[in-house]
Amino acid sequence: MTLRGENLIGAEARRGTEAAVRAVAAATGESLEPDFPGASLGDLDRACALAEAAFDTYRETDPETRAGFLEAIAANILETGDALVTRCMEETGLPRPRIEGERARTVGQLRLFADVVREGSSVAVRIDPALPDRKPLPRPDLRLRRIAVGPVAVFGASNFPLAFSVAGGDTASALAAGCPVVVKAHPAHPGTSELVGRAIQKAVASCGLPEGTFSLLFDAGQSIGQGLVADPRIAAVGFTGSRRGGTALMAIAAARPVPIPVYAEMSSINPVLLFPGALAARGAEIGQAFAASLTLGAGQFCTNPGLILALPGPGLDAFLEAAGAALRDSPAATMLTPGIQRAYREAVARMAGHAAVTRIAEGAEGRVTQGRASLFATDSDVFLADPALQEEMFGASGLVVRCADLAAMRAVLEHLEGQLTAALHLAPEDHAAARDLLPLLERRVGRILVNGFGTGVEVAHAMVHGGPYPATSDGRTTSVGSLAIDRFLRPVSYQDVPDALLPAALQAANPLDLPRRIDGVPERR
Ligand SMILES: NC(=O)C1=CN([C@@H]2O[C@H](COP(=O)(O)OP(=O)(O)OC[C@H]3O[C@@H](n4cnc5c(N)ncnc54)[C@H](OP(=O)(O)O)[C@@H]3O)[C@@H](O)[C@H]2O)C=CC1
Ligand SMILES: O=C(O)CCC(=O)C(=O)O
């Protein structure tokens, strides 16, 4: 499919009139055709007006229609074939297996949400039938369902150009909830965004949905993104990116006359706890696995294992030796954008320049567009004294913090900001020590995992890809997995509303065949 560099506004595709986003080949820095002129404020207004006009129709689509729509998007994405894969590789510098894997994850995610919509428990139907004879007062008939919150603004993420971008988890969960979506494309992969956007636009048309169900806007600056968050027709925001970007959007959303939630997934350094028994048994093996996780995707994962906590000893020495050797052998890797490469280089230089931090290993030097791996080490008292040491280095770099004993490890965890994940490496004899730390870890992170690393989030029902601030703006939820739909739903209760006036979801005959709780008890079906 030929790229046209057009904004997709409802059923229309039109070139913008503002400064253009230039697509750039991540590996070489060369400009790619076409350019993507930015949307005007008029385009933004039209996209939001269409989204609002679509809302009441789209949110009341029956489960089969909405699930079929999500599946049609998945099919259309696959139909874009190699054109999508090659363009995405060129724009991001990510290798083919990664992009193909990410496409499968994106399509699988859309299909998972189709299943969620068909299954119906996200509507959360509750019925408390009237008790007219109750004394001293009768109870009214109460029926609850959850409805979509309204049009959602989604910011595509740079580092997952498919799974966290135009048709990624935020879009899939918002559409599954019944919310029209307006996406602000990430300037790092505009061609990928257009191809995926057209796949969604085509599905809107083939499923007979209102055109405002989906729009995609490009912008070389920040006025469209900021305007979207401020627009009174937008009811919620999904974002993955920097803490600075996420908090700027949170401030705009909070300052609106009607504030709205921003679900921002931001920085995380994902502590890895190496317990003594595990280190003694397999320090070198863990070191190799750690290096592989750290360098995945040039380290550009928010789940990247950036902080390692361990007690000194021969096990830690073996870990450092193996991780160091693997990282010294690791080739430099193309980073997503010149800005991300520069930010990474500066973060590594700051760490290397710290008087009380030593560099354990450095990967091979690369081109100007590439990042090289690094591993640093320090002691827990240094880490505790300097908050800058827990800032994310977005790339393949980690910091090992030597903790004199388990109490020192606890002190470091107490001091940490909110995180997406914590990984514990354990042997059976470490279980008691790990058990002691679990309550603290539960307070700090969204996902606790054992004998693995957090990179590569499973898209599943029991997944939490979230965590307390600043890992995310709202630790009560997740941006990956079926629970992500909850962000875009709100409950409405209907009291003594006649059956003929009730939405189908709540009618006595249950025409949508939804799971229901009657008087608090799941109905037998
Ligand atoms: N932890 C994580 O998961 C991730 C962290 N990052 C971090 O973010 C850095 C930059 O990467 P990037 O992906 O571009 O993330 P950004 O947060 O800079 O940008 C993400 C998106 O939000 C927009 N945006 C950012 N700030 C604002 C604002 N104030 N007003 C309106 N729109 C805004 C950007 O537009 P525009 O580009 O025009 O500014 C872009 O579309 C990385 O170096 C890394 O440190 C990045 C990706 C994931
Ligand atoms: O590790 C993953 O699969 C997802 C990582 C992620 O959410 C991110 O880097 O933004």
Side-chain angles (χ1 to χ4, degrees), residues 155-156 158-159 184-187 220-222 225-226 239-242 245 248-249 265-268 302 340 343 392 394:
F155 286 73
S158 59
N159 61 334
K184 192 283 196 181
H186 197 289
Q222 296 185 327
Q226 294 178 358
F239 170 93
T240 301
S242 65
L249 300 181
E265 190 218 303
M266 304 177 283
S267 55
S268 186
C302 54
I340 288 177
E392 183 181 52
F394 192 67

Side-chain angles (χ1 to χ4, degrees), residues 97-119:
R98 156 66 193 271
I99 297 298
E100 287 179 347
E102 198 180 321
R103 182 180 57 180
R105 170 169 164 177
T106 307
V107 162
Q109 187 161 248
L110 287 157
R111 291 179 176 152
L112 174 84
F113 278 109
D115 292 345
V116 166
V117 170
R118 282 200 184 92
E119 188 274 331

Side-chain angles (χ1 to χ4, degrees), residues 17 24 51 94 163 176 205 211 229 238 259 272 358 375 381 449 515:
T17 50
V24 171
L94 295 168
E211 59 168 321
V229 177
V272 176
T358 53
L375 185 61
D381 52 350
L449 61 136

Side-chain angles (χ1 to χ4, degrees), residues 488-505:
F488 304 121
L489 292 165
R490 72 177 180 84
V492 177
S493 190
Y494 301 74
Q495 183 170 332
D496 289 334
V497 177
D499 204 61
L501 289 184
L502 282 170

Side-chain angles (χ1 to χ4, degrees), residues 227-302:
L228 252 184
V229 177
D231 192 285
R233 293 159 292 196
I234 295 295
V237 179
F239 170 93
T240 301
S242 65
R243 192 190 305 193
R244 193 163 62 177
T247 51
L249 300 181
M250 286 163 67
I252 294 171
R256 292 167 38 133
V258 179
I260 56 169
V262 175
Y263 297 105
E265 190 218 303
M266 304 177 283
S267 55
S268 186
I269 55 173
N270 306 301
V272 176
L273 283 55
L274 304 179
F275 284 82
L279 270 184
R282 47 194 164 83
E285 192 188 314
I286 300 171
Q288 280 161 3
F290 159 72
S293 174
L294 187 77
T295 51
L296 206 61
Q300 300 163 122
F301 275 51
C302 54

Side-chain angles (χ1 to χ4, degrees), residues 98 105 157-160 163-164 240-241 265-266 296 299-304 392 394 420-421 447 453-459 465 479-480:
R98 156 66 193 271
R105 170 169 164 177
S158 59
N159 61 334
F160 274 76
F164 284 76
T240 301
E265 190 218 303
M266 304 177 283
L296 206 61
Q300 300 163 122
F301 275 51
C302 54
T303 45
N304 198 45
E392 183 181 52
F394 192 67
L420 293 172
T421 71
R447 176 163 57 115
F453 295 92
T455 42
V457 177
E458 187 72 33
V459 181
H465 189 53
S479 67
V480 175

Side-chain angles (χ1 to χ4, degrees), residues 273-277 309-312 380 402-414 425-426 429-437 440:
L273 283 55
L274 304 179
F275 284 82
L309 309 182
L311 276 52
S380 60
R402 284 179 294 256
C403 305
D405 50 25
L406 289 167
M409 190 184 274
R410 172 183 284 278
V412 170
L413 291 170
E414 294 269 12
H425 287 264
L426 303 175
E429 63 267 33
D430 297 318
H431 285 191
R435 188 175 294 111
D436 276 355
L437 286 179
L440 171 56

Side-chain angles (χ1 to χ4, degrees), residues 42-335:
D43 293 331
L44 168 66
D45 180 61
R46 170 123 179 101
C48 292
L50 286 172
E52 186 174 62
F55 178 49
D56 277 336
T57 306
Y58 180 62
R59 73 183 173 88
E60 290 299 353
T61 46
D62 62 81
E64 192 48 47
T65 302
R66 206 181 304 161
F69 170 50
L70 294 167
E71 288 167 344
I73 298 171
N76 293 349
I77 288 173
L78 290 176
E79 213 174 77
T80 58
D82 216 43
L84 177 63
V85 175
T86 51
R87 177 73 187 196
C88 193
M89 287 166 59
E90 206 170 13
E91 289 185 332
T92 62
L94 295 168
R96 176 175 286 274
R98 156 66 193 271
I99 297 298
E100 287 179 347
E102 198 180 321
R103 182 180 57 180
R105 170 169 164 177
T106 307
V107 162
Q109 187 161 248
L110 287 157
R111 291 179 176 152
L112 174 84
F113 278 109
D115 292 345
V116 166
V117 170
R118 282 200 184 92
E119 188 274 331
S121 51
S122 59
V123 183
V125 173
R126 293 164 173 228
I127 298 178
D128 297 337
L131 299 174
D133 299 328
R134 192 184 65 173
K135 299 284 183 256
L137 289 171
R139 183 174 80 177
D141 181 88
L142 283 169
R143 289 161 192 258
L144 176 153
R145 70 161 175 163
R146 298 201 302 176
I147 67 163
V149 293
V152 171
V154 170
F155 286 73
S158 59
N159 61 334
F160 274 76
L162 298 173
F164 284 76
S165 193
V166 176
D170 286 340
T171 298
S173 53
L175 290 176
C179 301
V181 168
V182 182
V183 175
K184 192 283 196 181
H186 197 289
H189 53 266
T192 305
S193 299
E194 182 182 334
L195 289 170
V196 174
R198 285 187 189 277
I200 303 178
Q201 193 186 47
K202 193 169 138 196
V204 170
S206 68
C207 295
L209 297 172
E211 59 168 321
T213 301
F214 174 77
S215 291
L216 170 68
L217 303 173
F218 294 97
D219 183 21
Q222 296 185 327
S223 58
I224 292 297
Q226 294 178 358
L228 252 184
V229 177
D231 192 285
R233 293 159 292 196
I234 295 295
V237 179
F239 170 93
T240 301
S242 65
R243 192 190 305 193
R244 193 163 62 177
T247 51
L249 300 181
M250 286 163 67
I252 294 171
R256 292 167 38 133
V258 179
I260 56 169
V262 175
Y263 297 105
E265 190 218 303
M266 304 177 283
S267 55
S268 186
I269 55 173
N270 306 301
V272 176
L273 283 55
L274 304 179
F275 284 82
L279 270 184
R282 47 194 164 83
E285 192 188 314
I286 300 171
Q288 280 161 3
F290 159 72
S293 174
L294 187 77
T295 51
L296 206 61
Q300 300 163 122
F301 275 51
C302 54
T303 45
N304 198 45
L307 179 70
I308 296 86
L309 309 182
L311 276 52
L316 178 58
D317 295 343
F319 169 88
L320 291 174
E321 199 172 310
L327 292 174
R328 275 187 286 273
D329 281 350
S330 68
T334 300
M335 299 200 75

